[in-house]
Amino acid sequence: MNCKHLIIGAGPAALAAAQAIRTNDKSAEITLVTREETLPYSPAVLPYLLSQELTETELFSKGQELLAALDVKLIRGKEVTTLLHETSEVRFSDGTRAAYDKLLIASGARPQVPPIEHLAPDQIYTFRTYADFARLQKTLEKKQTIAIYGAGLVAVEAAEKLCEAGHKVIIIARSSLLRKYFSSNHVSVLEQAFQKHGATILANTTLNAVKLTGNQLELVINSGDKLVVDRLIVATGVAANLVANTEIPVVEGGLQVNHHMQTNLPNVYAAGDVAAAPSFFDGRHAPCPILPEAVFQGTVAGANMAGKKMEYAGWIPGNYLRCFDENLFSIGLTGPQAEAGYQTLEKQSGNTSLKLLFQDEYLVGSEALNLKNIHPGVFLNLIRNRIPVRQYQELLLAKPRETACWIMLRQGKQKAV
Ligand SMILES: Cc1cc2nc3c(=O)[nH]c(=O)nc-3n(C[C@H](O)[C@H](O)[C@H](O)COP(=O)(O)OP(=O)(O)OC[C@H]3O[C@@H](n4cnc5c(N)ncnc54)[C@H](O)[C@@H]3O)c2cc1C
């Protein structure tokens, strides 16, 4: 009998899993179920719809092609509410059920909106799904003042695209832009780029209250000052979409999984933003809500579901960002906290800079500004493969791409011998 794989979700983790299942089992029945009405898509590219660098047709075309190529069934507009693992079934919000042999929970995450006095749900916009984009887009015909509350990737990417579209953007950041990932000199380059494009950044600011005044919103910030804006987008972080169950341990807000993306329940896996997988660096279980890890985790889960043993090495934080004319990336242990704990080497030249962080013989983090000819994956490889590179640190700093490639090649040859 063909194995029935049921996947909750139709995002990047779900699609990667479907691909891995099909690679390893040609006859498996694969079904994706999503509560959205759309074809599968990657939320990470939604900001490009705002700037019209991407069309809606392009957003959905890859998912549609994959479904057809992999012979995967898609059920849209159905929300899984409960996992009934004793009978290997899930229950939907309409009361119906679906059975599985293997289940993957790839239900992603949703915006987490902090409590703000007088804030009614219809007064705010979030930016996670296509439906969020469509709701916001309807209001953007006339140029307006838009406040974005938050300073993570979603806030920064949406802010950039809205500035480029000619809106007046105010970013309200509880600390500073992308503070967890980039050190202060890189953060200030970003801030300057926003200011050059007419945006205002209110750092170390919290939003205390919101009042509707006619068609506008009056925002009260922690200094007591008031701002009048047309629109408020809240992008202060995400929380995992936990499908109700009482038996999978929830760690740091995500469903705990092992290195095979298996939960504690038989035949139940989790991957992507919903999963609390082990960290590459210290094995700590937590969600790592970024696209590359969702794809890695989905691939590992899918392979294991189809009976091919595959191990996940653990999540490594990473951010790749093109913001106006600035290109930044951070991989691994970076940002202000990391700098205190690791040996750091840094090179700055004109508008470019590179920072490498080491622990003993190993590279553990890297931050770069405007080094467009270096793919961040080069550093990710050195970190993920635990290649001892410290002896080449000066060379790596001076000629990063060539040195990293040479080290990888040499390592490959040594392994092959
Ligand atoms: C605007 C934006 C920009 C981003 N930019 C970047 C970036 O530059 N770099 C980066 O690394 N990451 C970025 N991300 C994060 C990245 O998109 C996520 O890490 C990634 O989408 C996670 O994939 P996932 O498959 O785990 O979850 P999702 O993509 O969230 O997919 C979850 C799926 O599950 C479905 N679902 C949820 N609950 C249920 C339920 N109960 N029943 C049925 N279906 C359900 C949803 O409808 C959806 O289909 C960005 C995200 C956003 C929103």
Side-chain angles (χ1 to χ4, degrees):
M1 257 220 333
N2 298 342
C3 187
K4 269 193 198 161
H5 295 269
L6 182 64
I7 300 178
I8 307 174
L15 285 178
Q19 202 154 13
I21 294 170
R22 182 57 75 223
T23 304
N24 292 290
D25 184 348
K26 302 290 174 231
S27 63
E29 277 179 37
I30 310 172
T31 304
L32 304 189
V33 53
T34 168
R35 64 183 175 190
E36 292 171 66
E37 297 291 347
T38 66
L39 284 162
Y41 63 92
S42 172
V45 297
L46 289 173
Y48 295 90
L49 290 179
L50 285 175
S51 57
Q52 295 177 351
E53 288 164 87
L54 185 79
T55 63
E56 295 181 26
T57 312
E58 286 162 344
L59 176 75
F60 298 117
S61 60
K62 192 172 169 223
Q64 188 166 27
E65 282 161 22
L66 261 180
L67 293 182
L70 300 174
D71 186 19
V72 169
K73 183 175 167 202
L74 175 71
I75 301 176
R76 312 189 206 186
K78 268 204 142 190
E79 181 167 28
V80 174
T81 51
T82 318
L83 168 52
L84 307 164
H85 77 94
E86 296 89 351
T87 53
S88 297
E89 287 176 302
V90 297
R91 186 163 50 220
F92 298 105
S93 55
D94 61 8
T96 58
R97 296 176 178 209
Y100 62 82
D101 296 316
K102 302 277 168 80
L103 175 73
L104 174 65
I105 306 173
S107 47
R110 64 183 186 287
Q112 198 173 30
V113 178
I116 300 166
E117 211 179 320
H118 309 308
L119 184 67
D122 63 340
Q123 289 168 356
I124 54 157
Y125 289 78
T126 51
F127 201 63
R128 173 74 196 189
T129 61
Y130 174 75
D132 290 341
F133 158 77
R135 177 170 170 250
L136 179 66
Q137 180 70 4
K138 272 194 213 145
T139 73
L140 295 180
E141 265 169 24
K142 84 172 178 36
K143 303 293 173 224
Q144 54 194 282
T145 303
I146 302 175
I148 300 184
Y149 189 30
L153 261 186
V154 174
V156 167
E157 290 181 4
E160 186 223 4
K161 301 303 179 204
L162 291 167
C163 277
E164 283 190 330
H167 301 286
K168 167 92 187 85
V169 173
I170 302 172
I171 302 177
I172 303 172
R174 288 175 292 186
S175 52
S176 57
L177 301 187
L178 298 173
R179 171 191 58 94
K180 274 198 248 158
Y181 309 108
F182 292 103
S183 41
S184 53
N185 50 337
H186 290 163
V187 169
S188 41
V189 169
L190 259 187
E191 286 174 350
Q192 282 162 24
F194 271 108
Q195 280 150 4
K196 217 168 90 189
H197 287 83
T200 304
I201 297 173
L202 302 174
N204 302 312
T205 301
T206 47
L207 183 53
N208 287 356
V210 174
K211 205 166 100 193
L212 193 62
T213 54
N215 285 333
Q216 291 188 303
L217 295 171
E218 186 183 84
L219 310 183
V220 184
I221 54 176
N222 56 331
S223 62
D225 287 348
K226 292 176 181 160
L227 316 165
V228 176
V229 302
D230 298 297
R231 210 70 52 213
L232 170 64
I233 300 174
V234 178
T236 42
V238 293
N241 288 320
L242 303 175
V243 173
N245 76 87
T246 48
E247 285 165 78
I248 304 173
V250 174
V251 184
E252 301 267 340
L255 299 177
Q256 185 171 357
V257 288
N258 63 17
H259 282 281
H260 298 106
M261 308 314 295
Q262 265 172 318
T263 68
N264 58 325
L265 299 179
N267 301 319
V268 180
Y269 297 72
D273 286 7
V274 72
S279 146
F280 174 82
F281 293 106
D282 57 12
R284 180 175 62 90
H285 287 259
C288 180
I290 57 170
L291 179 63
E293 294 302 329
V295 173
F296 273 136
Q297 293 181 7
T299 303
V300 172
N304 286 304
M305 288 164 76
K308 169 131 171 65
K309 274 260 171 284
M310 192 170 176
E311 192 150 312
Y312 177 60
W315 49 265
I316 297 178
N319 286 287
Y320 321 82
L321 187 70
R322 177 175 59 81
C323 192
F324 303 111
D325 294 330
E326 312 294 345
N327 281 267
L328 295 100
F329 69 76
S330 75
I331 305 280
L333 304 174
T334 56
Q337 298 98 321
E339 266 171 45
Y342 301 98
Q343 296 89 27
T344 305
L345 220 59
E346 192 169 1
K347 185 178 83 171
Q348 280 191 352
S349 160
N351 71 339
T352 69
S353 78
L354 176 64
K355 195 175 278 193
L356 301 174
L357 289 91
F358 297 92
Q359 184 178 38
D360 306 324
E361 287 307 303
Y362 303 101
L363 185 71
V364 292
S366 164
E367 257 188 72
L369 172 69
N370 293 328
L371 292 178
K372 292 183 203 161
N373 68 341
I374 305 177
H375 192 282
V378 163
F379 295 108
L380 187 61
N381 270 333
L382 295 180
I383 298 173
R384 212 180 266 289
N385 292 303
R386 289 195 202 275
I387 298 176
V389 293
R390 192 67 190 272
Q391 55 183 317
Y392 308 115
Q393 61 178 29
E394 297 298 342
L395 215 53
L396 202 54
L397 196 68
K399 288 189 175 292
R401 191 163 59 106
E402 294 82 347
T403 310
C405 291
W406 171 73
I407 294 172
M408 291 296 295
L409 215 71
R410 200 167 157 269
Q411 185 78 6
K413 276 194 188 143
Q414 279 174 359
K415 268 196 187 153
V417 174

